[in-house]
């Protein structure tokens, strides 16, 4: 059975609900992708999170939530005394969503220390590993460099490395992000970015320009997302069918990645996989929050 690892941070989510209440959940880019990948795969595989959490009640609930999604928890390091990060989704008077974060002390920031103390044991036997720009942004520069060395070694052993830059201006400076994201692309076989981040960080205005940049960094397979407009899949444009109702675009890109990778692992071509990813993302944006409730999934 294939071992698929999603490396990064999962947070406690508090989403504004009616009557001044908040609905508590768990979310984070690589976790969202893990959930949708696991739910969409037809081929049996071990899908797991490579992350660090604390030993508090919220961390325990988070691990229980991973288990309930059928995710493998063997590589979730538990740090005594640490806690997970938290974010809150507020809806303002104009109906715009604002995100507020409490993540500076999050356990996931210590992930590389855990990996190193474990001599990289988590990577053993990994067939595919997904990581993101957020996975890197929350680390120190020293830990980013250590992690990328580990990922290069993993790739050299034959694992497929998948990267989504998921650029968040709040987490790091533009020049710093441009530097590290390019380094990360240099470790990736498959890249799943959005065009907008390439426009912002490297001034590439078209999917063709972004694709040339990625190919130059050694990426072999790429999908460039352009929100509701179109997809660019290994040199070919694919039209996106607009959603009938956009309720909440949270996790559109993450669910696309999950659907795409599931189809690729099930043996579909990149173009067919992009269609599956887009269909899933279209569905996810019809629901509130990152994760569609399990009882509404089937
Ligand atoms: P993110 O900002 O979360 O990375 P994007 O806006 O790039 O997400 O969208 C990711 C994918 O979600 C797109 O490639 C597309 O397939 C789908 N998508 C986004 N917005 C819409 C929409 N309005 N209608 C249908 N599909 C959409």
């Amino acid at each position: 059975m294939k071992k698929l690892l999603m490396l990064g941070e999962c947070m406690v989510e508090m989403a504004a609900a009616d009557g001044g209440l908040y609905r508590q959940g768990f979310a984070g880019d690589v976790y969202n992708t893990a959930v949708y990948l696991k739910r969409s795969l037809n081929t049996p595989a071990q899908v797991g999170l490579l992350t660090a959490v604390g030993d508090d009640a919220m961390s325990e609930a988070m691990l229980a939530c991973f288990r309930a999604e059928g995710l493998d928890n063997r590589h979730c390091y538990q740090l005594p005394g640490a806690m997970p990060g938290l974010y809150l989704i507020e809806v303002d008077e104009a109906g715009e969503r604002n995100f507020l974060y409490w993540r500076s002390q999050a356990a996931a920031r210590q992930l590389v220390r855990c990996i190193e103390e474990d001599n990289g044991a988590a990577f053993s036997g990994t067939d595919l590993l997904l990581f993101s720009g957020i996975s890197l942004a929350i680390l120190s520069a020293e830990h980013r460099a250590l992690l990328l060395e580990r990922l290069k070694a993993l790739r050299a052993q034959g694992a497929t490395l998948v990267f989504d830059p998921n650029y968040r201006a709040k987490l790091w400076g533009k020049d710093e992000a441009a530097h590290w994201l390019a380094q990360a692309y240099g470790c990736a076989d498959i890249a799943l970015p959005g065009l907008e981040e390439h426009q912002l960080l490297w001034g590439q205005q078209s999917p063709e320009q972004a694709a040339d940049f990625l190919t130059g960094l050694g990426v072999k397979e790429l999908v460039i997302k352009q929100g509701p407009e179109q997809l660019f899949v290994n040199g070919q444009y694919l039209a996106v069918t607009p959603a009938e109702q956009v309720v909440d675009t949270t996790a559109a890109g993450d669910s696309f990645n999950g659907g795409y990778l599931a189809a690729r692992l099930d043996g579909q071509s990149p173009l067919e996989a992009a269609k599956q990813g887009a269909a899933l993302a279209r569905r996810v944006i019809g629901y509130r929050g990152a994760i569609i409730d399990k009882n509404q999934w089937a």
Side-chain angles (χ1 to χ4, degrees), residues 158-226:
T160 300
L161 275 282
V162 186
F163 185 65
D164 181 341
N166 250 339
Y167 172 56
R168 296 287 183 275
K170 265 188 193 170
L171 289 178
W172 47 3
K174 204 167 131 181
D175 292 344
E176 192 188 11
H179 167 78
W180 286 104
L181 296 179
Q183 301 280 314
Y185 276 137
C187 305
D189 301 285
I190 303 179
L192 303 170
L195 182 62
E196 200 185 341
E197 47 206 351
H198 278 256
Q199 288 168 335
L200 284 167
L201 294 170
W202 297 289
Q204 294 145 4
Q205 300 305 326
S206 67
E208 286 85 354
Q209 283 174 355
D212 283 347
F213 172 74
L214 292 171
T215 309
L217 291 170
V219 171
K220 293 186 241 130
E221 177 174 328
L222 55 93
V223 180
I224 301 173
K225 297 165 246 174
Q226 267 182 282

Side-chain angles (χ1 to χ4, degrees), residues 166 225-228 231 240-243 246 249 251-253 256 278 281-282 285:
N166 250 339
K225 297 165 246 174
Q226 267 182 282
L231 290 154
V240 165
T241 311
V246 178
T249 57
F256 175 90
R282 188 167 173 267
I285 61 182

